[in-house]
Amino acid sequence: MSSRGSSVQTGLQRPSAWYATPALLFFGLFALVPMVLVVYLSFTDWRGFGFPGLSGTENWTRLVQDGEALDSLGLTLLFMVLSWLVQTPIAIMIGVWAAGKQRNRAVLSTLFFLPLLLSTAAIALLWRSVLDTNFGVTQALPVLDRFNFLGDTSIVVYTVVFVVSWQYIPFHTLLYQAATRGIPASLYEAATIDGAGRFKQFFQITLPLLRYTIVTSSVLMLVGSFTTFDTILILTGGGPGTATRVAPLYMYITGFSAYELGYASAIAVLLLLLGGVLSLVVTRATGFRNMQSEQEGV
């Protein structure tokens, strides 16, 4: 009886592996199969018509020697670093604030999260109109009249970072808001009794307990930089010149404008590898894989 009871109990605690079948099928159909096909196409000279013909490592050799592709990768890394430096501190501060009980907090938070309801195309078109030199904000505010935010190669990258940050900061803010609300109030009460002020509580309680949320947000942010191209495509088209032609956009133009889908697939595989390596590096360097509860003993 005890053996039978223990087996029944074990069965209740550990669901059957068949429960994972729908998720595995979904992953295989929409993730694994496309990745395998892209890897295969990276070794072909396919131009979008007919059957792909194998070309060996020709695309990869070209990719190593392609100066424009290497420049776009460098620009992607710059875009990634700038996006992280802008989005992370702002998202943390607003997320911690939104987790509080301030007056009118709910109304202000709702207004702030509005960009999450808009499509990427709508956001890019909105900011392209706002920053237009003919009828945009530069015409309404004379102090900005000397700036060409979308046409000056020296500032257009920062303009793109600003627009993308405006779009995605609300999402990362939600992560920090939820994580902050999970911090026990007893920690702040004890810190208050010990005489710790708000800033000391933030740096000694809130920020350390947000460590793994910061890692999660950073991975999503950094890896997302390797796939962001639609906002840039609508906002600047990669210009002026090639000032904002990041690697994902270069891949898109190569594949769907020049119809060199084999070469574009090689670029896609490279971005996939870089994104995967970056995720592993961040998770290993931060100890995220060995994550333990930050509230143990509370």
Side-chain angles (χ1 to χ4, degrees):
M1 288 293 294
S2 60
S3 175
R4 181 181 178 181
S6 62
S7 63
V8 172
Q9 184 178 6
T10 302
L12 293 174
Q13 292 178 348
R14 180 174 297 179
S16 171
W18 288 105
Y19 282 92
T21 302
L24 292 176
L25 289 175
F26 184 86
F27 175 79
L29 183 61
F30 294 101
L32 190 59
V33 171
M35 284 192 290
V36 172
L37 290 176
V38 168
V39 172
Y40 168 74
L41 290 176
S42 68
F43 293 96
T44 69
D45 57 358
W46 192 43
R47 301 187 66 87
F49 304 97
F51 188 80
L54 291 175
S55 60
T57 59
E58 180 180 341
N59 290 325
W60 292 97
T61 303
R62 175 185 171 185
L63 181 58
V64 174
Q65 300 173 349
D66 189 350
E68 189 173 354
L70 297 178
D71 290 342
S72 67
L73 284 174
L75 185 60
T76 302
L77 294 177
L78 175 63
F79 171 75
M80 177 184 68
V81 173
L82 290 176
S83 296
W84 186 88
L85 291 175
V86 171
Q87 295 181 46
T88 300
I90 296 177
I92 291 176
M93 289 187 292
I94 298 178
V96 172
W97 171 82
K101 300 179 180 180
Q102 300 88 345
R103 189 177 181 180
N104 299 326
R105 175 195 54 80
V107 176
L108 294 176
S109 296
T110 301
L111 293 175
F112 177 75
F113 294 140
L114 282 178
L116 289 177
L117 304 177
L118 302 177
S119 67
T120 298
I123 290 175
L125 290 172
L126 168 67
W127 282 104
R128 192 175 71 177
S129 299
V130 170
L131 299 174
D132 189 277
T133 55
N134 295 317
F135 54 85
V137 69
T138 57
Q139 296 298 316
L141 300 175
V143 69
L144 300 177
D145 186 48
R146 66 180 185 273
F147 295 105
N148 187 352
F149 292 101
L150 299 178
D152 189 342
T153 56
S154 62
I155 63 174
V156 67
V157 172
Y158 305 104
T159 302
V160 171
V161 170
F162 168 78
V163 173
V164 173
S165 298
W166 185 86
Q167 178 182 1
Y168 289 109
I169 281 177
F171 169 76
H172 296 281
T173 296
L174 285 177
L175 298 180
Y176 292 117
Q177 180 185 19
T180 303
R181 287 183 175 177
I183 299 176
S186 58
L187 296 178
Y188 295 103
E189 295 171 356
T192 302
I193 294 174
D194 291 338
R198 290 183 178 272
F199 287 99
K200 194 171 183 179
Q201 291 179 20
F202 174 78
F203 286 104
Q204 295 189 359
I205 298 177
T206 306
L207 202 57
L209 293 180
L210 290 178
R211 174 187 175 189
Y212 293 120
T213 305
I214 294 174
V215 175
T216 302
S217 174
S218 297
V219 169
L220 293 174
M221 199 179 299
L222 297 177
V223 175
S225 299
F226 284 103
T227 60
T228 300
F229 83 95
D230 42 1
T231 303
I232 303 175
L233 175 65
I234 298 173
L235 193 63
T236 66
T242 58
T244 57
R245 187 172 293 182
V246 293
L249 181 57
Y250 181 63
M251 174 197 68
Y252 174 84
I253 293 174
T254 302
F256 296 98
S257 294
Y259 295 101
E260 297 181 283
L261 294 174
Y263 184 50
S265 298
I267 301 175
V269 173
L270 178 61
L271 292 175
L272 176 65
L273 293 175
L274 290 176
V277 170
L278 181 62
S279 299
L280 291 175
V281 169
V282 172
T283 53
R284 285 182 177 273
T286 57
F288 185 79
R289 291 186 61 187
N290 300 320
M291 180 178 62
Q292 297 178 353
S293 175
E294 295 280 13
Q295 301 177 14
E296 185 175 354
V298 174

